[in-house]
C-alpha cells in the first residue's frame, strides 16, 4: 500500500512538473537590434535613401513548438541626405511601430533553429526634421501609417532559455501620408523597402 501511495505521489508530481514545464514554455521574448536602409518614396519630389537603426522587442505566444503569434514594440531612427525642389537637405526621422506577427520556429539541427515571422504593423512618426542650408523644418510628417513586415532569422540555443543569432527584416508601408501643410516639404510620401540586418535574441520562460 505504501509503495502504491509513493508511486502515485511520484506520478502526480511528475505530471505536475510536466504541466508546469509545458505552460512555462509557451511564452517567450524575441529581441532584435540592427542597421540597414530604406527608401523614401515621394509623390511629387525625387525619392531618396536613408540609413536605419532599429530595435524591437516582441512577446511571442506559441500554440505549438513551431507556430505562434507575437506582438510588441519597435523603434527606428532613419537619417541621411536627400534633395528636392528647395535644395539639398539632411533628414532625420524617428518612428514607433506596433507589429502583429504570425511566427514559425523550425528546428534545423541540434541547437539550431530557423525563425520566420510575417504580418501587418501600425506605425507613427514621432519626430521628423529636415535640415536645409537656410534653416530647419521640424514635424513635417507625423501621421499614422500601416504596412507589412517579414523577418527571417537563424538562432543557436545557448541553453533552454536563451538563443542568439542573426536576423534579416524587411517592411514597406501600405499607403502614402501627407505633410502638415508645410511649404518647404509638401506632398505625400511613404517608406518603402526598409531592410535591416542584425543580432537576434530569443528568451523562453
Amino acid at each position: 500500500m505504501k509503495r502504491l501511495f509513493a508511486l502515485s505521489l511520484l506520478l502526480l508530481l511528475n505530471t505536475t512538473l510536466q504541466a508546469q514545464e509545458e505552460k512555462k514554455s509557451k511564452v517567450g521574448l524575441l529581441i532584435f537590434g540592427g542597421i540597414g536602409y530604406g527608401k523614401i518614396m515621394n509623390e511629387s519630389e525625387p525619392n531618396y535613401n536613408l540609413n536605419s537603426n532599429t530595435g524591437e522587442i516582441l512577446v511571442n505566444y506559441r500554440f505549438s513548438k513551431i507556430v505562434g503569434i507575437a506582438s510588441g514594440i519597435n523603434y527606428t531612427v532613419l537619417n541621411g541626405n536627400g534633395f528636392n525642389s528647395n535644395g539639398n537637405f539632411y533628414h532625420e526621422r524617428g518612428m514607433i511601430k506596433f507589429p502583429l506577427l504570425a511566427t514559425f520556429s523550425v528546428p534545423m539541427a541540434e541547437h539550431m533553429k530557423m525563425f520566420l515571422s510575417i504580418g501587418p504593423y501600425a506605425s507613427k512618426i514621432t519626430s521628423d526634421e529636415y535640415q536645409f542650408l537656410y534653416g530647419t523644418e521640424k514635424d513635417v510628417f507625423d501621421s499614422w501609417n500601416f504596412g507589412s513586415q517579414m523577418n527571417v532569422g537563424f538562432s543557436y540555443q545557448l541553453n533552454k532559455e536563451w538563443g542568439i543569432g542573426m536576423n534579416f527584416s524587411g517592411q514597406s508601408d501600405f499607403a502614402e501620408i501627407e505633410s502638415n501643410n508645410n511649404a518647404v516639404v509638401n506632398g505625400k510620401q511613404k517608406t518603402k523597402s526598409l531592410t535591416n540586418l542584425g543580432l537576434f535574441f530569443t528568451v523562453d520562460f
Side-chain angles (χ1 to χ4, degrees):
M1 186 69 179
K2 290 182 178 179
R3 289 184 178 180
L4 182 60
F5 177 76
L7 183 61
S8 300
L9 185 61
L10 287 173
L11 183 60
L12 178 62
L13 180 62
N14 184 57
T15 303
T16 303
L17 289 174
Q18 285 183 351
Q20 288 178 346
E21 182 67 24
E22 288 177 3
K23 183 179 180 181
K24 192 176 179 181
S25 65
K26 285 185 178 181
V27 179
L29 293 179
L30 306 173
I31 305 168
F32 170 69
I35 59 174
Y37 65 93
K39 177 176 287 188
I40 301 297
M41 305 286 292
N42 291 290
E43 179 187 44
S44 55
E45 295 282 1
N47 302 326
Y48 56 94
N49 295 325
L50 294 178
N51 299 317
S52 168
N53 292 275
T54 187
E56 184 170 87
I57 181 167
L58 304 173
V59 177
N60 186 37
Y61 180 86
R62 290 184 297 277
F63 300 107
S64 67
K65 289 183 178 181
I66 295 178
V67 181
I69 188 169
S71 185
I73 190 169
N74 171 288
Y75 190 74
T76 299
V77 175
L78 301 173
N79 58 74
N81 298 312
F83 70 93
N84 61 15
S85 55
N86 295 286
N88 296 323
F89 57 79
Y90 174 79
H91 185 194
E92 184 167 300
R93 170 176 291 172
M95 298 189 304
I96 192 169
K97 182 178 68 173
F98 303 96
L100 179 62
L101 307 173
T103 62
F104 306 90
S105 180
V106 183
M108 300 291 291
E110 188 177 8
H111 304 301
M112 292 290 296
K113 290 182 180 180
M114 180 175 69
F115 181 81
L116 304 171
S117 66
I118 188 170
Y121 63 80
S123 65
K124 174 75 165 61
I125 296 174
T126 58
S127 62
D128 199 35
E129 184 174 290
Y130 288 77
Q131 297 178 13
F132 291 88
L133 290 175
Y134 57 82
T136 299
E137 298 290 332
K138 295 184 177 182
D139 301 324
V140 178
F141 293 86
D142 61 4
S143 303
W144 283 89
N145 207 338
F146 298 90
S148 63
Q149 75 175 67
M150 182 183 69
N151 301 280
V152 180
F154 295 90
S155 67
Y156 178 82
Q157 287 298 125
L158 301 173
N159 51 44
K160 289 183 179 181
E161 289 80 25
W162 285 87
I164 185 173
M166 297 293 294
N167 184 77
F168 172 83
S169 67
Q171 71 175 65
S172 283
D173 290 344
F174 287 148
E176 294 177 321
I177 56 176
E178 193 162 3
S179 63
N180 297 322
N181 297 318
N182 189 283
V184 177
V185 182
N186 209 349
K188 296 180 180 180
Q189 67 172 220
K190 67 177 179 179
T191 305
K192 186 177 180 181
S193 302
L194 178 58
T195 59
N196 289 280
L197 180 67
L199 287 177
F200 172 61
F201 298 91
T202 61
V203 186
D204 293 326
F205 299 116

